[in-house]
Amino acid sequence: MVNVYRNALEKIFEKDDHSRRDEITKTTSEIERISFRLVVLQNQFLDGHITPQDYNKMKDRVEKDLTGLEPKLKAIKMDKSPYKTYVNQTLPML
């Protein structure tokens, strides 16, 4: 009976976990946008539109932005929903 109650609660709480999923989507989109920016930058350099010095400056900035977002996304994905923690800690008492 407790397992049925747990499953029902987890389904309800999963629907309410929008903010975490929205943050994952937002961060993933930002990573994709920055990765695309790096590809465009590389193409401009290869086509001779920018100097090596400018390329290195811009590349460092873009990679810094990317390096900051990847751990953030990993942490958000690994972080359990607070509702699941609640369910896991309180249901055993029942």
Side-chain angles (χ1 to χ4, degrees):
M1 188 64 159
V2 174
N3 287 335
V4 173
Y5 182 62
R6 174 190 296 254
N7 290 337
L9 282 178
E10 285 178 351
K11 287 179 184 178
I12 291 169
F13 291 149
E14 185 66 32
K15 289 178 184 177
D16 291 335
D17 194 25
H18 293 293
S19 63
R20 189 174 79 78
R21 285 184 281 168
D22 289 345
E23 188 67 25
I24 289 172
T25 303
K26 179 182 168 188
T27 306
T28 302
S29 296
E30 185 71 12
I31 288 172
E32 289 172 358
R33 186 180 68 79
I34 291 173
S35 296
F36 180 73
R37 186 178 279 177
L38 184 59
V39 170
V40 169
L41 181 62
Q42 290 168 344
N43 289 337
Q44 288 178 344
F45 175 68
L46 291 173
D47 292 341
H49 297 293
I50 57 175
T51 65
Q53 295 82 11
D54 289 339
Y55 170 76
N56 286 329
K57 287 178 189 176
M58 289 185 270
K59 178 181 161 260
D60 289 343
R61 190 185 86 210
V62 170
E63 286 178 343
K64 179 182 173 190
D65 292 343
L66 195 57
T67 303
L69 288 173
E70 289 171 340
K72 178 182 176 183
L73 179 62
K74 186 176 180 179
I76 294 170
K77 284 183 175 181
M78 290 179 64
D79 197 20
K80 280 188 173 182
S81 165
Y83 300 119
K84 287 184 180 183
T85 303
Y86 169 77
V87 169
N88 290 333
Q89 291 178 354
T90 57
L91 280 181
M93 287 186 270
L94 293 177

